[in-house]
Amino acid sequence: MNPVVGLDVAKGESQVQAFLNNSKPYGKSFSIKHTREELDHFIGFLKEIEEVTGKMPMIILESTGHYHTPVIQYLEEQGVLYILLNPIISYQAKKSSLRKVKTDAIDAYQLCVLYYKEDFEPHKIRGIKLLDLRNLSRQQEIVTNMYVEAKLQFHTSLDQVFPEYRKVFGDLFSKVSLLMLKEYPTSEAVLTVGESKLAESVMEFCPSRSGQWAWEKSKKIMDSASRNPFRTNVYQSHLINLRMYIELLFQYQGHLSDLEERIVALANEVEEYKIIQSIPGIGEKIAATIISKIGEIDRFNHPKKLVAFAGVDPSVHSSGKFTATINRITKRGSSRLRHSLYLAVLCGIRSSRNKKLKVFYDKKKSEGKPAKVAIVACMNKLLHWIYALLKRKETFLDLA
């Protein structure tokens, strides 16, 4: 027998349906709350099935944001293997049903049916360090998105108060730039204090730079204030918004810096991190992101599955005698993983840091492939290398 238990996860509870074998449901569907007591009862239910079939059932469930987290953590504590599905896969399977019925019980039932149709790889028990790394990486992504949104709102506020200021510093969001704008947010404030006081403030906020640099920046600030269309500020609300977004930007910068330090420190304790970093063009940040997204390489029994996980595999479209010759990549995996691979490829082929990758890129270009297509091919090649290195536990220098 090949037993399986489908879990349709919702907020705070899950619907459970068990099968002893294909087309053999076991009992009726029931729900469990995500409490320790009811999860303990769920383990008892699994052991009951094990007594009937002689085999511990596989658990299959969808990834549902953070709602599935307590269930996954509990299963891993108990050493129970599970399959965590991308919702796209189960959604496509449900679409094939002739009857359009949507209930939690039916969803749990369909997950069991899907288990027997497909060849899924179970999640291995993930180490605490890799789980921490994955969670920190995900949090970094969330804070980065919030930081980008704050930047956009900051630009809007700046355009209503001091638009010419954006031409003063090379990096508008540097510490000295934001501190100067917070201290002197209007043309009136800049012109009132004068160039000498501005130079002192620049030196105070950025003591590592020379006095000459400070005087050059103070002169630029004075010039920008003279050109600024808003000589006096009419709306106090604009100033309040500007100062608020400056504070938010500093907070997000601090959080991102802290997360980056923690991610790199944690990644240094993981063996796979050093292996991936041995590939030319992959630095600390990119390596940490890649390993946090991939997790245990044992989850994949073939490099093509890792490529599909990253969403770098080409889509296929054919019907009858027609077969499409131009196919985009599926993009069904982690967008952050793809972005990290893209950066790794760019770093590798520029200045020929990664000679093997540069030769492969030039070969694709000589075949008439556009630059973007050649880069995607390099991302695919990079994933094959990563798979081989992690499987063999070797560095890039050992790769034949």
Side-chain angles (χ1 to χ4, degrees), residues 102-116:
K102 170 71 175 79
T103 67
D104 292 342
I106 287 178
D107 286 347
Y109 188 99
Q110 289 294 340
L111 285 171
C112 294
V113 172
L114 184 61
Y115 170 77
Y116 294 112

PDB file of all heavy atoms in Angstrom, residues 102-116:
ATOM      1  N   LYS A 102     -15.931  23.759  -4.920  1.00  0.00           N
ATOM      2  CA  LYS A 102     -14.812  24.231  -4.088  1.00  0.00           C
ATOM      3  C   LYS A 102     -15.213  24.173  -2.622  1.00  0.00           C
ATOM      4  O   LYS A 102     -16.009  24.954  -2.144  1.00  0.00           O
ATOM      5  CB  LYS A 102     -14.444  25.679  -4.473  1.00  0.00           C
ATOM      6  CG  LYS A 102     -13.444  26.352  -3.514  1.00  0.00           C
ATOM      7  CD  LYS A 102     -12.065  25.762  -3.665  1.00  0.00           C
ATOM      8  CE  LYS A 102     -11.060  26.529  -2.800  1.00  0.00           C
ATOM      9  NZ  LYS A 102     -11.139  26.131  -1.376  1.00  0.00           N
ATOM     10  N   THR A 103     -14.670  23.144  -1.927  1.00  0.00           N
ATOM     11  CA  THR A 103     -14.799  23.066  -0.477  1.00  0.00           C
ATOM     12  C   THR A 103     -13.458  22.599   0.065  1.00  0.00           C
ATOM     13  O   THR A 103     -12.632  22.021  -0.670  1.00  0.00           O
ATOM     14  CB  THR A 103     -15.891  22.071  -0.036  1.00  0.00           C
ATOM     15  OG1 THR A 103     -15.480  20.745  -0.384  1.00  0.00           O
ATOM     16  CG2 THR A 103     -17.233  22.385  -0.679  1.00  0.00           C
ATOM     17  N   ASP A 104     -13.222  22.826   1.360  1.00  0.00           N
ATOM     18  CA  ASP A 104     -11.960  22.399   1.964  1.00  0.00           C
ATOM     19  C   ASP A 104     -11.809  20.882   1.910  1.00  0.00           C
ATOM     20  O   ASP A 104     -10.718  20.361   1.669  1.00  0.00           O
ATOM     21  CB  ASP A 104     -11.886  22.877   3.419  1.00  0.00           C
ATOM     22  CG  ASP A 104     -11.775  24.384   3.520  1.00  0.00           C
ATOM     23  OD1 ASP A 104     -11.408  25.003   2.502  1.00  0.00           O
ATOM     24  OD2 ASP A 104     -12.048  24.937   4.597  1.00  0.00           O
ATOM     25  N   ALA A 105     -12.923  20.169   2.127  1.00  0.00           N
ATOM     26  CA  ALA A 105     -12.878  18.706   2.110  1.00  0.00           C
ATOM     27  C   ALA A 105     -12.492  18.180   0.730  1.00  0.00           C
ATOM     28  O   ALA A 105     -11.674  17.264   0.597  1.00  0.00           O
ATOM     29  CB  ALA A 105     -14.235  18.142   2.528  1.00  0.00           C
ATOM     30  N   ILE A 106     -13.072  18.785  -0.310  1.00  0.00           N
ATOM     31  CA  ILE A 106     -12.769  18.358  -1.682  1.00  0.00           C
ATOM     32  C   ILE A 106     -11.335  18.707  -2.050  1.00  0.00           C
ATOM     33  O   ILE A 106     -10.635  17.946  -2.723  1.00  0.00           O
ATOM     34  CB  ILE A 106     -13.769  18.985  -2.672  1.00  0.00           C
ATOM     35  CG1 ILE A 106     -15.131  18.284  -2.526  1.00  0.00           C
ATOM     36  CG2 ILE A 106     -13.261  18.887  -4.102  1.00  0.00           C
ATOM     37  CD1 ILE A 106     -16.210  18.834  -3.406  1.00  0.00           C
ATOM     38  N   ASP A 107     -10.859  19.870  -1.582  1.00  0.00           N
ATOM     39  CA  ASP A 107      -9.475  20.265  -1.857  1.00  0.00           C
ATOM     40  C   ASP A 107      -8.485  19.274  -1.241  1.00  0.00           C
ATOM     41  O   ASP A 107      -7.485  18.906  -1.869  1.00  0.00           O
ATOM     42  CB  ASP A 107      -9.209  21.673  -1.316  1.00  0.00           C
ATOM     43  CG  ASP A 107      -9.857  22.751  -2.170  1.00  0.00           C
ATOM     44  OD1 ASP A 107     -10.285  22.431  -3.298  1.00  0.00           O
ATOM     45  OD2 ASP A 107      -9.940  23.901  -1.717  1.00  0.00           O
ATOM     46  N   ALA A 108      -8.748  18.835   0.000  1.00  0.00           N
ATOM     47  CA  ALA A 108      -7.890  17.845   0.648  1.00  0.00           C
ATOM     48  C   ALA A 108      -7.942  16.520  -0.115  1.00  0.00           C
ATOM     49  O   ALA A 108      -6.915  15.847  -0.297  1.00  0.00           O
ATOM     50  CB  ALA A 108      -8.324  17.652   2.098  1.00  0.00           C
ATOM     51  N   TYR A 109      -9.132  16.151  -0.585  1.00  0.00           N
ATOM     52  CA  TYR A 109      -9.322  14.928  -1.372  1.00  0.00           C
ATOM     53  C   TYR A 109      -8.519  15.005  -2.670  1.00  0.00           C
ATOM     54  O   TYR A 109      -7.834  14.060  -3.060  1.00  0.00           O
ATOM     55  CB  TYR A 109     -10.816  14.755  -1.658  1.00  0.00           C
ATOM     56  CG  TYR A 109     -11.201  13.453  -2.307  1.00  0.00           C
ATOM     57  CD1 TYR A 109     -11.706  12.394  -1.548  1.00  0.00           C
ATOM     58  CD2 TYR A 109     -11.080  13.268  -3.688  1.00  0.00           C
ATOM     59  CE1 TYR A 109     -12.083  11.191  -2.141  1.00  0.00           C
ATOM     60  CE2 TYR A 109     -11.439  12.080  -4.285  1.00  0.00           C
ATOM     61  CZ  TYR A 109     -11.939  11.050  -3.521  1.00  0.00           C
ATOM     62  OH  TYR A 109     -12.291   9.862  -4.117  1.00  0.00           O
ATOM     63  N   GLN A 110      -8.608  16.159  -3.348  1.00  0.00           N
ATOM     64  CA  GLN A 110      -7.918  16.338  -4.628  1.00  0.00           C
ATOM     65  C   GLN A 110      -6.400  16.283  -4.473  1.00  0.00           C
ATOM     66  O   GLN A 110      -5.686  15.830  -5.372  1.00  0.00           O
ATOM     67  CB  GLN A 110      -8.325  17.675  -5.262  1.00  0.00           C
ATOM     68  CG  GLN A 110      -9.748  17.728  -5.784  1.00  0.00           C
ATOM     69  CD  GLN A 110      -9.972  16.787  -6.947  1.00  0.00           C
ATOM     70  OE1 GLN A 110      -9.034  16.354  -7.606  1.00  0.00           O
ATOM     71  NE2 GLN A 110     -11.229  16.449  -7.207  1.00  0.00           N
ATOM     72  N   LEU A 111      -5.894  16.748  -3.329  1.00  0.00           N
ATOM     73  CA  LEU A 111      -4.447  16.685  -3.089  1.00  0.00           C
ATOM     74  C   LEU A 111      -3.991  15.230  -3.037  1.00  0.00           C
ATOM     75  O   LEU A 111      -2.923  14.888  -3.569  1.00  0.00           O
ATOM     76  CB  LEU A 111      -4.093  17.397  -1.781  1.00  0.00           C
ATOM     77  CG  LEU A 111      -4.114  18.926  -1.808  1.00  0.00           C
ATOM     78  CD1 LEU A 111      -3.972  19.494  -0.403  1.00  0.00           C
ATOM     79  CD2 LEU A 111      -3.003  19.469  -2.704  1.00  0.00           C
ATOM     80  N   CYS A 112      -4.786  14.372  -2.430  1.00  0.00           N
ATOM     81  CA  CYS A 112      -4.470  12.938  -2.383  1.00  0.00           C
ATOM     82  C   CYS A 112      -4.497  12.322  -3.781  1.00  0.00           C
ATOM     83  O   CYS A 112      -3.611  11.545  -4.156  1.00  0.00           O
ATOM     84  CB  CYS A 112      -5.449  12.203  -1.472  1.00  0.00           C
ATOM     85  SG  CYS A 112      -5.326  12.655   0.272  1.00  0.00           S
ATOM     86  N   VAL A 113      -5.516  12.676  -4.546  1.00  0.00           N
ATOM     87  CA  VAL A 113      -5.627  12.169  -5.921  1.00  0.00           C
ATOM     88  C   VAL A 113      -4.421  12.606  -6.748  1.00  0.00           C
ATOM     89  O   VAL A 113      -3.850  11.822  -7.516  1.00  0.00           O
ATOM     90  CB  VAL A 113      -6.938  12.673  -6.571  1.00  0.00           C
ATOM     91  CG1 VAL A 113      -6.973  12.313  -8.053  1.00  0.00           C
ATOM     92  CG2 VAL A 113      -8.155  12.089  -5.846  1.00  0.00           C
ATOM     93  N   LEU A 114      -4.017  13.866  -6.564  1.00  0.00           N
ATOM     94  CA  LEU A 114      -2.868  14.404  -7.299  1.00  0.00           C
ATOM     95  C   LEU A 114      -1.584  13.666  -6.938  1.00  0.00           C
ATOM     96  O   LEU A 114      -0.715  13.466  -7.788  1.00  0.00           O
ATOM     97  CB  LEU A 114      -2.739  15.902  -6.997  1.00  0.00           C
ATOM     98  CG  LEU A 114      -1.645  16.679  -7.742  1.00  0.00           C
ATOM     99  CD1 LEU A 114      -1.878  16.615  -9.255  1.00  0.00           C
ATOM    100  CD2 LEU A 114      -1.609  18.122  -7.279  1.00  0.00           C
ATOM    101  N   TYR A 115      -1.471  13.258  -5.696  1.00  0.00           N
ATOM    102  CA  TYR A 115      -0.274  12.542  -5.228  1.00  0.00           C
ATOM    103  C   TYR A 115      -0.030  11.281  -6.048  1.00  0.00           C
ATOM    104  O   TYR A 115       1.107  10.942  -6.381  1.00  0.00           O
ATOM    105  CB  TYR A 115      -0.428  12.204  -3.747  1.00  0.00           C
ATOM    106  CG  TYR A 115       0.622  11.263  -3.208  1.00  0.00           C
ATOM    107  CD1 TYR A 115       1.901  11.720  -2.912  1.00  0.00           C
ATOM    108  CD2 TYR A 115       0.335   9.903  -3.001  1.00  0.00           C
ATOM    109  CE1 TYR A 115       2.868  10.852  -2.416  1.00  0.00           C
ATOM    110  CE2 TYR A 115       1.291   9.033  -2.509  1.00  0.00           C
ATOM    111  CZ  TYR A 115       2.556   9.512  -2.216  1.00  0.00           C
ATOM    112  OH  TYR A 115       3.505   8.660  -1.730  1.00  0.00           O
ATOM    113  N   TYR A 116      -1.101  10.570  -6.368  1.00  0.00           N
ATOM    114  CA  TYR A 116      -0.960   9.315  -7.118  1.00  0.00           C
ATOM    115  C   TYR A 116      -0.737   9.555  -8.612  1.00  0.00           C
ATOM    116  O   TYR A 116      -0.281   8.654  -9.323  1.00  0.00           O
ATOM    117  CB  TYR A 116      -2.192   8.434  -6.906  1.00  0.00           C
ATOM    118  CG  TYR A 116      -2.338   7.953  -5.483  1.00  0.00           C
ATOM    119  CD1 TYR A 116      -3.374   8.410  -4.676  1.00  0.00           C
ATOM    120  CD2 TYR A 116      -1.427   7.068  -4.935  1.00  0.00           C
ATOM    121  CE1 TYR A 116      -3.503   7.977  -3.364  1.00  0.00           C
ATOM    122  CE2 TYR A 116      -1.549   6.620  -3.625  1.00  0.00           C
ATOM    123  CZ  TYR A 116      -2.585   7.082  -2.841  1.00  0.00           C
ATOM    124  OH  TYR A 116      -2.705   6.657  -1.539  1.00  0.00           O
TER     125      TYR A 116
END
